[in-house]
Amino acid sequence: MNKSLLKGVEGIFIPVRDSKVSARWYEEVLGFQLNYIEEEAAVMKISSDSPTVVCLVKVEYHIPMKFPSNHFGVGKYINFIPEDIETLYDELKSKGIAVNSLDGDGDKKYFTFFDPDGNPLGACQ
């Protein structure tokens, strides 16, 4: 087996209508931490101990991210890893966030939820 040339993900880029509005949602709903914000983008840390940043990039003509139709059953580009997936699911539902059903098989559980711009995001544990 070849050794991987990569060791992780530095940044995830999500298209949004308004970087300030989206940054507030990602901060208040998901607990992300704002690194900096400007007119065209907000850069946020998932958590203080995560090396991965999420860049909310303002786009001129927003179209929610859409994964192409497939037979694998995936409909989003990103799966976040929560501390406790059932707690996350319940909290998002209680905040009125659009969420799909919590599914899983065996020890794996997962679901899709949507940011204010209609971008599908996933949680998997």
Side-chain angles (χ1 to χ4, degrees):
M1 178 191 281
N2 291 335
K3 180 182 176 192
S4 178
L5 297 176
L6 305 172
K7 62 180 186 175
V9 174
E10 180 276 333
I12 297 169
F13 299 85
I14 299 175
V16 298
R17 290 184 192 109
D18 184 317
S19 56
K20 292 179 178 102
V21 170
S22 293
R24 191 174 325 110
W25 186 88
Y26 278 78
E27 191 172 39
E28 292 173 1
V29 173
L30 299 178
F32 286 15
Q33 300 165 356
L34 183 64
N35 279 7
Y36 68 90
I37 192 165
E38 54 189 54
E39 186 63 31
E40 300 303 320
V43 177
M44 308 188 82
K45 294 263 305 188
I46 293 173
S47 70
S48 59
D49 59 343
S50 173
T52 305
V53 295
V54 173
C55 299
L56 305 171
V57 180
K58 181 180 177 181
V59 295
E60 192 170 333
Y61 301 105
H62 183 269
I63 298 171
M65 295 185 301
K66 181 167 175 37
F67 202 88
S69 180
N70 61 84
H71 297 289
F72 190 62
V74 67
K76 69 254 179 205
Y77 288 95
I78 304 161
N79 264 347
F80 293 105
I81 303 168
E83 290 292 330
D84 181 303
I85 195 160
E86 291 175 1
T87 299
L88 173 63
Y89 183 80
D90 292 341
E91 283 189 30
L92 293 177
K93 284 188 72 167
S94 74
K95 292 178 179 180
I97 307 302
V99 297
N100 291 351
S101 62
L102 178 61
D103 293 316
D105 46 7
D107 292 335
K108 274 287 186 220
K109 292 183 181 178
Y110 48 87
F111 68 93
T112 300
F113 60 101
F114 299 85
D115 76 2
D117 292 297
N119 294 310
L121 306 170
C124 184
Q125 186 175 40

